Amino acid sequence: QVQVVESGGGLVQAGGSLRLSCTASGSILSLNAMGWYRQVPGEQRELVATITSGDITNYADSLKGRFTISRDNTKNTAYLQMNSLKPEDTAVYYCNADIIAHPWRYLEVWGQGTLVTVSA
């Protein structure tokens, strides 16, 4: 079974920082693009950032400069460094991964999410 698991969420004061991690595991032949998305209850899930296996990154325009996505391919892990956090960044953050799994199946896998709460 292939899965991705997020960690690192929690409560932080405005202006603070958090680093989220997302680790993929299972019968993975190839771990391609990974991404972070977030969702506030009652609203649509929105893109935060994505990163390809070759480290090409893409960010939501509103988050450029505060959030940084990176990955460690040796650990099948992507990270999201979040700085200068604002109360409006409060959301559940989800990891997404495009995976080629054994035996050559393409999967788009979502994690269960990690809650980030930013207090004023």
Side-chain angles (χ1 to χ4, degrees):
Q1 182 179 358
V2 175
Q3 62 178 355
V4 295
V5 178
E6 304 98 335
S7 62
L11 175 64
V12 63
Q13 288 189 331
S17 298
L18 279 177
R19 189 175 83 152
L20 306 182
S21 299
C22 168
T23 299
S25 63
S27 300
I28 297 172
L29 297 177
S30 178
L31 180 57
N32 299 326
M34 300 182 75
W36 289 97
Y37 296 75
R38 67 185 186 183
Q39 187 170 23
V40 175
E43 298 184 10
Q44 286 191 334
R45 192 171 297 187
E46 64 176 3
L47 168 73
V48 174
T50 61
I51 185 167
T52 69
S53 57
D55 288 339
I56 296 172
T57 59
N58 179 55
Y59 294 91
D61 287 341
S62 61
L63 300 177
K64 288 179 181 177
R66 292 195 300 123
F67 288 16
T68 302
I69 190 170
S70 61
R71 65 191 285 168
D72 183 340
N73 292 326
T74 67
K75 297 180 179 179
N76 284 349
T77 298
Y79 303 97
L80 184 69
Q81 178 67 43
M82 305 185 293
N83 298 327
S84 302
L85 283 162
K86 304 175 181 180
E88 52 263 43
D89 294 319
T90 296
V92 178
Y93 284 71
Y94 295 91
C95 179
N96 171 277
D98 291 339
I99 294 171
I100 305 297
H102 180 80
W104 298 108
R105 296 174 296 141
Y106 169 77
L107 300 174
E108 182 184 17
V109 183
W110 288 90
Q112 293 195 338
T114 185
L115 177 62
V116 172
T117 303
V118 184
S119 63

